[in-house]
Amino acid sequence: MNCFDKALYCLLSSVFLLAQPVHAQHHQQADSKQVWEPDLGNGRYRNPIIHADYSDPDVIRVGKHYYMTASSFNSAPGLPLLQSEDMIHWRIVGHASPHLIPAENFRTPQHGKGVWAPSLRFHDGKFWIFYPDPDFGIYVMTAKEFTGPWSTPHLLVAGKGLIDPTPLWDDDGKAWLLHAWAKSRAGFNNQLTLRAMDPDASKLLDDKGTLVVDGDQLPGYKTLEGPKLYKRNAWYYIFAPAGGVEFGWQSVFRAKNILGPYEEKIVLAQGDSKTNGPHQGAWVTAEDGRDWFYHFQDKRAYGRIVHLQPMQWQDDWPVMGKRHPTTGIGEPVDTWEKPVLESPLINLANPPSSDDFSSPTLGLQWQWNANWNSDWYSLTANKNHLRLYPQALAASTSASSSLIDYPAILLQKLPAPAFEASVKLKLNSNINGDRAGLVLYGLHYAWIGLERHQDHYSLQYRTCSSANLNQRCQEKLVQTKIAEQAEIHLKIALNSAGVAQFYYSEQGEQFTVFGTEFNATPGRWVGAKIGLFHIGTRDVASSTVVSNKNKEQAKSTNRFADFADFRVSPRTNY
């Protein structure tokens, strides 16, 4: 990190932390009905425990509390921080990284880049996060309290293709770092490399490290990645998936010497279950001594959703899920006895979705499409409203440009297989082409909203699609009508097949179908998201960081979009 990036990160971190409420969720509107509830109410839970895209989850326990972080890729703030008391209900309590670094590199959306699979640990009285950026190297951050403040990311080792770091502080005082490789950057993968590390994680102590597991030498193995390094009963264990995120499996490697040689065993695979490709995660020992394994399932448009498997030990090998009677390999369970049967009800919460915008700070479920600026929005200009100020498109200023390169989209994860998301929008602009709306966002996307014309506003439904996800989508206008007023209610209804229908209402009571059905599609390594945006087509100030005086001038503009009562609820029929 150069001097400018470090100073900017510290400044932005301070602003971000000061902006957070003492109780991070007090302002988020409680849903009348949960759109996804893992507790079955009979002493058992169901998988997934989180039906949202918390990719590559890592989980630890400290005392009575459980802590989780996950990949965040190009979204900012990044590295979500979740906390639980019963292992199945998780609430967002913050983010470790308010902005991505290098700051200038993430000024515009860098789809699929940024923060890849992190590792969370508690050591020496503090929390640690090791995370990779496949284009820059492996970073490390620390915090005395899980909610922060977190230290400025320190570049532990620079290099392309270094991913999925996992540390281990051994009983003899030595420290180690294990990581995988991304073929797209390094030119190879399917290998796990062990590095000697200074115990304070300030530097590595060797030049190349040791190849401890070579997937190319294991029959049937490909894309060995996502390792977690543990020690138990004098055995060193590497938990690592292989075979790819959609159709792979979870393996465990063990050795008496950390440098190997390692034995191999497949411990969790789809088998006869409906959970495809059980992928990387975390081994956690509960307060009562029982063991559990968190992992994700790639569910395409819904992202990488989080599962929890029971885990036991037999002959110093972990047994995950439910053992298949023929193969002996563990399979993911649909339901199981809850890990913690008694827990204070006040602490049982799921990641929020709805937001009434009653707080002066954004709800923690929201993330921007790139590094954000505080002059993009206001929660105080109009009480109980989110006001978005128009920003210029990064790639072009033409009205036909897509949202793919637009950084100032405020997004959140899909919270359930089927749900409705509605919001009230008022667009205030005198510039032709300014538009704002509600979007179902991925590498293909669709949105409904308002656009300003010379003497009126129009209601529009636009889609952006192409022949396949590897091609850049082209936005097109599918349906439009003159809007009777500049204030309208918008809705997306998504069914369990990932098919969305868009609606509008002038009064917020009876909704009318508008546009065609749209198949939700994932982004680059992430699931689809729902979000809000306001685009200005011209005469928009630069979206770079500006002085406080200029920020106030920007916020006094008469070009804005006000959003109110963002509500996510179970889907109903019309």
Side-chain angles (χ1 to χ4, degrees):
M1 186 187 306
N2 61 38
C3 295
F4 173 78
D5 278 330
K6 187 169 185 178
L8 180 60
Y9 186 92
C10 292
L11 173 62
L12 294 174
S13 296
S14 299
V15 172
F16 176 79
L17 290 167
L18 288 172
Q20 300 310 299
V22 175
H23 300 290
Q25 286 183 283
H26 78 277
H27 66 289
Q28 293 159 357
Q29 174 181 305
D31 298 331
S32 58
K33 294 181 179 179
Q34 292 287 352
V35 290
W36 185 258
E37 173 53 62
D39 193 333
L40 295 175
N42 58 1
R44 299 177 69 85
Y45 71 91
R46 65 171 172 171
N47 274 316
I49 56 164
I50 305 176
H51 202 294
D53 187 21
Y54 289 94
S55 178
D56 313 308
D58 201 13
V59 182
I60 61 173
R61 177 179 65 85
V62 181
K64 295 180 178 293
H65 303 288
Y66 300 84
Y67 302 95
M68 179 190 296
T69 191
S71 301
S72 50
F73 298 97
N74 61 288
S75 296
L79 287 169
L81 304 172
L82 295 93
Q83 186 171 328
S84 176
E85 278 69 49
D86 70 348
M87 301 184 72
I88 63 170
H89 293 91
W90 292 85
R91 62 189 184 279
I92 311 174
V93 297
H95 293 83
S97 179
H99 286 77
L100 304 177
I101 58 171
E104 179 62 21
N105 190 72
F106 293 98
R107 186 177 63 85
T108 57
Q110 303 295 312
H111 300 286
K113 300 181 180 181
V115 179
W116 283 24
S119 184
L120 174 65
R121 293 293 180 265
F122 186 80
H123 169 72
D124 195 26
K126 55 188 174 184
F127 293 92
W128 303 68
I129 292 178
F130 291 73
Y131 78 87
D133 183 314
D135 297 302
F136 294 97
I138 294 172
Y139 295 89
V140 60
M141 312 168 67
T142 62
K144 285 290 186 180
E145 302 292 336
F146 185 63
T147 53
W150 285 81
S151 64
T152 302
H154 164 64
L155 185 58
L156 174 60
V157 54
K160 286 185 175 293
L162 287 72
I163 60 170
D164 306 341
T166 174
L168 178 73
W169 290 270
D170 211 343
D171 303 328
D172 59 5
K174 294 181 179 179
W176 304 88
L177 186 77
L178 182 71
H179 68 82
W181 297 89
K183 188 173 183 178
S184 58
R185 274 77 166 180
F188 65 93
N189 65 354
N190 211 30
Q191 297 182 354
L192 304 180
T193 299
L194 184 68
R195 306 291 300 272
M197 181 176 70
D198 193 291
D200 66 1
S202 61
K203 61 182 180 295
L204 297 183
L205 303 178
D206 55 32
D207 294 329
K208 294 183 178 180
T210 302
L211 174 61
V212 291
V213 181
D214 186 352
D216 292 339
Q217 303 302 313
L218 299 173
Y221 270 71
K222 63 177 182 178
T223 321
L224 177 66
E225 60 185 1
K228 293 295 188 297
L229 183 58
Y230 304 106
K231 189 175 184 180
R232 175 186 181 272
N233 291 349
W235 285 98
Y236 294 92
Y237 290 93
I238 299 172
F239 288 42
V245 295
E246 282 196 69
F247 307 109
W249 61 87
Q250 182 72 35
S251 289
V252 168
F253 305 84
R254 72 176 187 182
K256 285 290 188 179
N257 187 311
I258 195 168
L259 295 173
Y262 281 84
E263 305 173 72
E264 170 266 344
K265 188 174 186 178
I266 297 176
V267 297
L268 187 68
Q270 179 173 357
D272 295 330
S273 79
K274 63 182 181 182
T275 303
N276 60 289
H279 214 70
Q280 74 192 68
W283 161 35
V284 178
T285 301
E287 191 178 10
D288 64 2
R290 289 190 295 169
D291 291 301
W292 302 84
F293 183 70
Y294 287 90
H295 67 90
F296 77 75
Q297 172 198 11
D298 187 298
K299 202 174 176 182
R300 299 193 177 183
Y302 294 96
R304 299 171 178 182
I305 59 179
V306 184
H307 290 241
L308 178 62
Q309 303 299 331
M311 180 176 135
Q312 298 176 334
W313 291 90
Q314 184 175 349
D315 300 327
D316 285 318
W317 285 105
V319 179
M320 297 177 182
K322 185 178 180 181
R323 189 194 296 269
H324 191 281
T326 302
T327 66
I329 298 173
E331 295 181 355
V333 299
D334 291 330
T335 70
W336 202 259
E337 178 186 336
K338 291 194 300 182
V340 181
L341 294 178
E342 300 294 335
S343 185
L345 291 177
I346 192 173
N347 290 327
L348 300 186
N350 297 307
S353 297
S354 298
D355 201 334
D356 59 11
F357 304 122
S358 62
S359 170
T361 57
L362 281 171
L364 295 175
Q365 69 267 40
W366 296 106
Q367 294 174 291
W368 299 96
N369 207 22
N371 276 344
W372 53 278
N373 296 317
S374 59
D375 59 335
W376 286 359
Y377 73 100
S378 173
L379 286 156
T380 57
N382 187 0
K383 187 177 180 181
N384 297 333
H385 288 74
L386 166 69
R387 176 163 291 183
L388 293 183
Y389 298 99
Q391 309 301 313
L393 282 167
S396 171
T397 57
S398 70
S400 61
S401 296
S402 79
L403 293 172
I404 292 297
D405 294 312
Y406 191 53
I409 311 175
L410 191 60
L411 297 160
Q412 64 169 276
K413 307 172 192 304
L414 304 186
F419 64 91
E420 297 174 357
S422 62
V423 71
K424 181 181 178 182
L425 165 66
K426 180 179 180 180
L427 179 60
N428 192 86
S429 174
N430 58 2
I431 302 296
N432 288 347
D434 279 10
R435 54 197 187 274
L438 174 66
V439 63
L440 177 60
Y441 188 77
L443 291 178
H444 294 173
Y445 66 81
W447 65 265
I448 185 172
L450 294 174
E451 179 172 315
R452 176 67 189 189
H453 296 272
Q454 186 170 1
D455 57 357
H456 69 278
Y457 291 94
S458 68
L459 175 67
Q460 295 194 350
Y461 172 71
R462 291 177 177 259
T463 63
C464 194
S465 59
S466 60
N468 61 65
L469 287 179
N470 294 321
Q471 295 177 339
R472 188 179 182 86
C473 71
Q474 299 295 316
E475 186 172 296
K476 66 177 182 179
L477 178 62
V478 177
Q479 185 173 351
T480 185
K481 67 184 290 289
I482 294 177
E484 299 299 326
Q485 53 191 8
E487 190 170 300
I488 200 161
H489 297 259
L490 308 171
K491 180 177 286 189
I492 297 173
L494 193 76
N495 68 22
S496 58
V499 179
Q501 180 65 67
F502 291 72
Y503 301 81
Y504 77 94
S505 171
E506 294 180 352
Q507 304 300 326
E509 296 175 356
Q510 296 295 323
F511 280 83
T512 301
V513 171
F514 199 71
T516 56
E517 289 186 336
F518 184 82
N519 291 309
T521 62
R524 183 67 170 166
W525 308 128
V526 299
K529 298 180 180 181
I530 46 175
L532 309 171
F533 70 92
H534 181 196
I535 283 183
T537 56
R538 63 181 178 87
D539 299 330
V540 178
S542 171
S543 60
T544 57
V545 176
V546 295
S547 68
N548 288 333
K549 180 179 179 181
N550 287 337
K551 287 178 183 178
E552 291 305 314
Q553 290 174 348
K555 289 190 175 185
S556 66
T557 180
N558 62 354
R559 297 169 65 190
F560 57 82
D562 278 352
F563 295 89
D565 193 24
F566 185 87
R567 182 182 297 273
V568 177
S569 56
R571 182 171 181 179
T572 60
N573 295 321
Y574 296 99

